[in-house]
Amino acid sequence: MELANRVFFRLYQCANMLHKTGTRAVEAEGLTTQQWAVLGALSRPTAEGGMSVGDLARYLKVSRQNLSGLLSRMERDGHVSTAPDGRDRRSRLVTMTASGRKVWLVEAQPKIYAYYDQVLDGFSVNDVTHTLHYLLKILENMQRVDDAQGDGAPLDE
């Protein structure tokens, strides 16, 4: 259990450092790591037509409530827009605006890639592949734990 404790404590520290140093990397663009994650999610080809708030919350593994405030700030800053989903009026669809796409592609992404290079300094492609593999396994197991703990409401509601 001592080894497990060390792994999870290091994950905790990594998450905190990602928020701290990642936000510094994109703060000149007025972004935080949370906003960077939203823009990244919305920039994927599968999200070209937008994503429902619920789908976006599930994808990012955050609560709908936490995402709501974040989206409000991003909408205020002109990075995203929300509108009723034409297929389901009860659902809201989030899309990246032209301004958000410019911030993401032209301003933020080059700085994010430079940040990745700094943080992954000394890692081989094999190291990164193995790290991703193990993080995905942990995430899958955490999702199973979350599902089993179920309080009756999905994470995003």
Side-chain angles (χ1 to χ4, degrees):
M1 288 284 82
E2 177 59 29
L3 193 55
N5 186 56
R6 289 172 62 189
V7 166
F8 282 90
F9 184 68
R10 295 299 179 216
L11 280 172
Y12 174 79
Q13 288 178 313
C14 285
N16 288 331
M17 288 299 288
L18 171 61
H19 290 307
K20 179 180 176 182
T21 61
T23 293
R24 283 187 193 147
V26 292
E27 68 187 349
E29 288 65 42
L31 298 176
T32 64
T33 53
Q34 292 89 352
Q35 292 170 327
W36 149 2
V38 169
L39 292 177
L42 294 174
S43 72
R44 297 170 307 125
T46 56
E48 194 171 310
M51 293 179 76
S52 73
V53 173
D55 286 346
L56 186 57
R58 276 187 290 280
Y59 182 76
L60 296 174
K61 307 288 188 208
V62 298
S63 72
R64 192 180 186 117
Q65 183 179 5
N66 286 344
L67 185 59
S68 178
L70 179 61
L71 291 175
S72 293
R73 289 187 296 282
M74 292 181 76
E75 195 165 21
R76 176 200 68 206
D77 295 342
H79 301 315
V80 300
S81 65
T82 60
D85 186 338
R87 296 164 293 177
D88 178 0
R89 287 285 190 198
R90 297 168 300 157
S91 183
R92 299 204 46 86
L93 201 60
V94 183
T95 55
M96 193 182 323
T97 63
S99 171
R101 191 164 303 287
K102 178 184 177 281
V103 166
W104 175 247
L105 293 173
V106 177
E107 299 170 18
Q109 244 182 5
K111 291 181 178 184
I112 290 167
Y113 290 159
Y115 174 76
Y116 291 161
D117 284 341
Q118 290 176 316
V119 173
L120 296 174
D121 184 46
F123 279 67
S124 68
V125 171
N126 201 32
D127 291 338
V128 175
T129 301
H130 281 98
T131 302
L132 180 59
H133 170 76
Y134 292 121
L135 288 172
L136 285 171
K137 284 182 80 163
I138 289 171
L139 184 59
E140 288 171 9
N141 289 342
M142 286 179 164
Q143 186 64 58
R144 259 196 309 279
V145 168
D146 186 50
D147 293 344
Q149 288 174 338
D151 59 355
L155 179 65
D156 67 325
E157 295 186 328

